[in-house]
């Protein structure tokens, strides 16, 4: 199916397909990047377009039928339809995206996160079409996508691993021997996994066979691959990940860590940089291990090495994410770098241009993810129109939104509305600023995770930094969240009454109806 140019595209709509190569005197490695196809939607597509603007690089958006007027489409220089709403028929169609790149004579494709970002075959197809994939080489994606291959490589590279089986377990017998060797409890994980799918905790030998079967079945249906392996189960871990950058010239460095321990069912809720549990000495060793992990798999571009950290601050390689991550803004806050600009410079073949010693942490940053989900109702997605969307601002506040007021959160895609981040000189200042920003944020039309984020930020365990990846299951109930908001509700109710009175008085003196626009609207914080 041919791609249809969007109506707002200036100039003729029947641009002929150029022959390739279009630059006979410059090979792909050194050709400058002048135009980028952004193969994504929502906030990350907008995020990439912003940096392209700053760098003077042209942007091409792609969109599905329901995204015809989405922010990323309106903000790009050109935009092309790639199919119907379902992502399998649009944002996952690498062939159509490559067609758009050819037709628009783009030099590169930025995949964002999700969709095609960790698809080795797509990265390869880009290179074959002589369009640069702004991400790592296909082989690095492939190696890190196979958790047993990644473990084997990390072992050889001397990166600390959770004790476990060498490679996939072939039989129940072999699994039992591996489990005895590391000691119970153990965790059965899918080789093709990640994100917690196909995982089973086993507390004693009696439960192993059942867990193996269950994990295999889940892995087969989720990934089409039933290979599983074993690891010692770390009981109350922190999730700490290191941001790395590597150029084509063999230079690699890290941009310190993000603490992503605050999760709910493997979905991150609050992320921060730096981690309040690390010491400078552990930070340095983890950073060095992450750079080594990247070097070992031939990594180029931006990537993230995830570690589990136990209560003794021992750290263990978990997996490597071969893409730009949702939570990258907190790293941008504390390093002052633009990670998308770094990705593009690296893809252009430029050297990093600075060394590890040139980098320092500055202050503290925290991100709250704002989803159209109802925390009072099992976090059920609540898609719909953002009747009101007024974002906070002010010193040290950043909002990356993919939907504007009047726009839709669609059922077809991830229900994230925005990422709200705040910076402070200290962790406490960052927390207070993020709380202030949440209080300033107005959303109506859909339920959001804002009150849930407010609950987490106000919790003693979060304030003191004494929490693990189990925080939400241990401390969160809709009732506790509601209690937390009660004082605010009383204040909001009082405010509504005072406002109504003020409106009436103002309307009387100006001869306007009391509901005239421009008087502002009160709302409760949990609206
Ligand atoms: C673990 C673990 C404990 N011990 N591995 C979750 C997702 C996947 N990337 C790996 N995960 C875990 N692996 C060992 N050996 C605990 C988790 C885990 C987890 C990790 C990070 C953040 C949140 C989590 C929630 C539940 C389990």
């Amino acid at each position: 199916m041919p791609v249809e140019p969007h109506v707002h595209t200036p100039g003729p709509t029947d641009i002929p397909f150029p022959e390739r190569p279009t630059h006979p005197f410059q090979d792909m490695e050194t050709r400058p990047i002048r135009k980028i196809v952004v193969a994504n939607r929502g906030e990350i597509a907008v995020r990439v377009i912003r940096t392209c603007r700053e760098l003077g690089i042209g942007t091409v958006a792609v969109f599905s039928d329901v995204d015809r007027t989405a922010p990323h489409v309106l903000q790009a220089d050109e935009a092309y339809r790639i199919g119907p709403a379902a992502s399998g028929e649009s944002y996952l169609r690498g062939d159509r995206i490559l067609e758009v790149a050819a037709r628009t004579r783009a030099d590169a494709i930025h995949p964002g996160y999700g969709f095609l970002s960790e698809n080795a075959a797509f990265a390869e197809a880009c290179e074959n079409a002589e369009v640069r994939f702004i991400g790592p080489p296909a082989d690095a994606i492939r190696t890190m996508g196979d958790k047993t291959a990644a473990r084997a490589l990390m072992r050889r590279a001397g990166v600390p691993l959770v004790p476990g089986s060498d490679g996939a377990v072939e039989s129940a017998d072999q699994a039992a021997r591996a489990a005895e060797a590391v000691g119970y409890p153990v965790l059965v994980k899918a080789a093709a996994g990640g994100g917690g799918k196909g995982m089973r905790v086993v507390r004693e030998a009696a439960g192993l066979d059942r867990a193996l079967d269950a994990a295999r079945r889940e892995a087969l249906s989720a990934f089409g691959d039933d290979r599983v392996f074993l690891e010692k189960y770390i009981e109350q871990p922190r999730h700490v990940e290191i941001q790395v950058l590597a150029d084509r010239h063999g230079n690699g460095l890290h941009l310190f860590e993000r603490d992503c321990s605050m999760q709910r069912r493997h979905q991150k809720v609050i992320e921060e940089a730096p981690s309040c549990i690390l010491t400078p000495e552990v930070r340095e060793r983890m950073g060095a291990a992450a750079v080594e992990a990247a070097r070992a798999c031939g990594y180029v571009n931006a990537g993230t090495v995830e570690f589990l950290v136990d209560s003794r601050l021992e750290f263990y390689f978990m997996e490597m994410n071969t893409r730009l991550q949702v939570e990258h803004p907190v790293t941008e806050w504390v390093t002052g770098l633009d990670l998308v600009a770094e990705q593009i410079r690296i893809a252009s073949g430029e050297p990093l241009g600075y060394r590890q010693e040139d980098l320092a942490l500055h202050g503290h940053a925290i991100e709250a993810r704002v989803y159209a989900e109802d925390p009072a109702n099992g976090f059920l997605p609540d898609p719909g129109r953002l009747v009101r969307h007024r974002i906070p601002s002010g010193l040290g506040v950043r909002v990356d939104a993919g939907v504007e007021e009047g726009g839709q959160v669609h059922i077809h895609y991830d229900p994230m509305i925005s990422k709200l981040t705040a910076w402070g000189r200290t962790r406490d200042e960052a927390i207070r600023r993020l709380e202030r920003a949440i209080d300033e944020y107005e959303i109506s039309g859909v339920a959001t995770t804002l009150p849930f984020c407010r609950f987490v930020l106000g919790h003693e365990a979060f304030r003191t930094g004494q929490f693990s990846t189990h925080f939400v299951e241990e401390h969160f109930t809709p009732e506790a969240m509601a209690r937390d908001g009660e004082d605010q509700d009383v204040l909001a109710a009082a405010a509504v009454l005072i406002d109504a009175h003020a409106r009436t008085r103002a309307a009387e003196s100006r001869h306007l109806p009391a509901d005239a626009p421009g008087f502002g609207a009160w709302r409760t914080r949990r609206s």
Side-chain angles (χ1 to χ4, degrees):
M1 189 174 115
V3 286
E4 300 163 18
H6 183 51
V7 283
H8 92 266
T9 306
T13 52
D14 55 343
I15 310 162
F17 279 70
E19 294 298 313
R20 285 204 175 266
T22 52
H23 306 269
F25 302 112
Q26 278 178 313
D27 76 7
M28 196 166 76
E29 312 288 280
T30 55
R31 208 167 75 213
I33 292 179
R34 297 199 184 88
K35 193 193 267 194
I36 293 175
V37 173
V38 183
N40 215 300
R41 65 181 303 280
E43 70 85 16
I44 195 61
V46 172
R47 162 75 193 86
V48 172
I49 291 167
R50 284 188 167 130
T51 289
C52 290
R53 276 270 144 76
E54 292 179 18
L55 299 179
I57 295 170
T59 52
V60 181
V62 294
F63 63 90
S64 73
D65 285 338
V66 293
D67 280 342
R68 198 162 271 282
T69 60
H72 76 282
V73 171
L74 303 179
Q75 287 168 32
D77 298 325
E78 306 168 61
Y80 292 83
R81 177 185 180 272
I82 48 169
S87 44
E89 296 181 71
S90 51
Y91 297 103
L92 286 168
R93 285 293 299 264
D95 55 338
R96 290 190 185 158
I97 288 160
L98 279 166
E99 228 174 290
V100 171
R103 159 175 229 158
T104 59
R105 306 178 64 146
D107 306 294
I109 295 179
H110 195 300
Y113 52 71
F115 297 127
L116 296 165
S117 62
E118 295 185 278
N119 184 321
F122 179 67
E124 220 155 55
C126 290
E127 304 294 328
N128 291 339
E130 295 197 43
V131 183
R132 261 164 301 172
F133 177 76
I134 303 178
D139 283 336
I141 299 176
R142 209 169 272 124
T143 305
M144 288 303 182
D146 180 336
K147 308 305 162 196
T148 56
R151 266 178 74 85
L153 188 66
M154 294 304 108
R155 177 174 290 115
R156 274 182 271 131
V159 176
L161 291 174
V162 187
S165 61
D166 296 326
V169 291
E170 306 288 346
S171 65
D173 255 18
Q174 192 196 341
R177 279 195 304 275
E180 293 300 337
V182 302
Y184 287 91
V186 297
L187 190 59
V188 182
K189 291 185 172 181
K197 274 209 195 95
M199 266 179 25
R200 283 290 183 288
V201 181
V202 188
R203 303 234 160 241
E204 51 188 33
L208 186 60
D209 287 2
R210 266 177 65 100
L212 281 171
D213 285 349
R216 276 196 203 286
R217 240 180 301 113
E218 207 170 306
L220 186 64
S221 84
F223 315 111
D225 178 347
D226 76 346
R227 290 173 306 130
V228 297
F229 64 104
L230 292 184
E231 280 180 5
K232 171 94 187 153
Y233 180 59
I234 313 285
E235 294 275 3
Q236 298 273 326
R238 296 282 283 224
H239 169 134
V240 180
E241 56 185 34
I242 306 271
Q243 176 71 57
V244 297
L245 293 178
D247 66 19
R248 291 172 187 276
H249 308 274
N251 306 302
L253 45 76
H254 70 85
L255 305 180
F256 312 103
E257 78 281 7
R258 293 183 288 262
D259 193 316
C260 308
S261 304
M262 193 57 75
Q263 308 207 354
R264 185 192 159 270
R265 304 209 180 156
H266 305 296
Q267 178 162 285
K268 294 167 184 167
V269 174
I270 300 278
E271 302 105 326
E272 57 183 307
S275 168
C276 61
I277 62 160
L278 294 199
T279 63
E281 182 268 327
V282 174
R283 173 171 298 120
E284 197 174 313
R285 281 195 290 120
M286 271 179 91
V291 171
E292 182 51 30
R295 200 202 52 76
C297 69
Y299 208 85
V300 176
N301 216 287
T304 297
V305 184
E306 293 185 358
F307 293 96
L308 285 178
V309 181
D310 68 17
S311 51
R312 294 152 40 237
L313 294 193
E314 295 293 331
F315 60 87
Y316 311 94
F317 172 84
M318 193 162 44
E319 47 195 78
M320 181 167 187
N321 299 317
T322 57
R323 58 169 192 277
L324 184 70
Q325 292 199 227
V326 175
E327 60 272 25
H328 76 276
V330 295
T331 297
E332 297 186 321
W333 272 124
V334 297
T335 60
L337 287 169
D338 174 336
L339 285 183
V340 173
E342 293 305 308
Q343 288 191 293
I344 295 170
R345 291 187 338 97
I346 289 167
S348 308
E350 288 178 45
L352 280 172
Y354 43 86
R355 294 155 305 175
Q356 192 68 56
E357 315 83 90
D358 301 326
L359 298 171
L361 274 171
H362 184 64
H364 201 101
I366 311 182
E367 170 172 284
R369 294 197 191 183
V370 185
Y371 285 93
E373 290 176 351
D374 188 357
N377 198 2
F379 292 84
L380 230 64
D382 188 26
R385 186 174 301 282
L386 297 192
V387 173
R388 191 171 174 85
H389 188 208
R390 299 291 160 96
I391 63 176
S393 60
L395 179 62
V397 171
R398 166 177 173 180
V399 181
D400 286 81
V403 198
E404 282 169 358
E405 186 166 283
Q408 291 267 350
V409 176
H410 296 286
I411 48 165
H412 307 90
Y413 315 111
D414 181 87
M416 194 166 74
I417 298 166
S418 70
K419 306 184 302 204
L420 173 56
T421 58
W423 180 88
R425 289 166 301 175
T426 61
R427 183 170 189 262
D428 192 57
E429 189 173 71
I431 292 173
R432 289 164 185 274
R433 192 165 277 156
L434 187 54
E435 288 182 325
R436 181 271 289 174
I438 289 175
D439 293 347
E440 205 174 306
Y441 207 148
E442 297 181 35
I443 301 181
S444 65
V446 299
T448 78
T449 50
L450 278 171
F452 173 63
C453 291
R454 192 72 172 70
F455 167 82
V456 172
L457 293 174
H459 199 283
E460 170 77 6
F462 182 77
R463 289 294 231 238
T464 58
Q466 307 278 313
F467 60 97
S468 76
T469 54
H470 303 295
F471 173 91
V472 177
E473 65 208 57
E474 285 167 3
H475 298 293
F476 174 76
T477 61
E479 295 71 39
M481 180 178 73
R483 269 199 302 281
D484 194 47
E486 255 165 29
D487 292 353
Q488 294 296 318
D489 284 354
V490 172
L491 291 175
V496 168
L497 293 172
I498 294 163
D499 180 54
H501 181 67
R503 278 167 192 255
T504 308
R505 297 272 304 260
E508 278 164 8
S509 65
R510 296 198 216 169
H511 309 291
L512 286 171
D515 61 353
F519 284 96
W522 292 96
R523 53 162 200 119
T524 70
R525 192 177 61 202
R526 297 180 300 133
S527 61

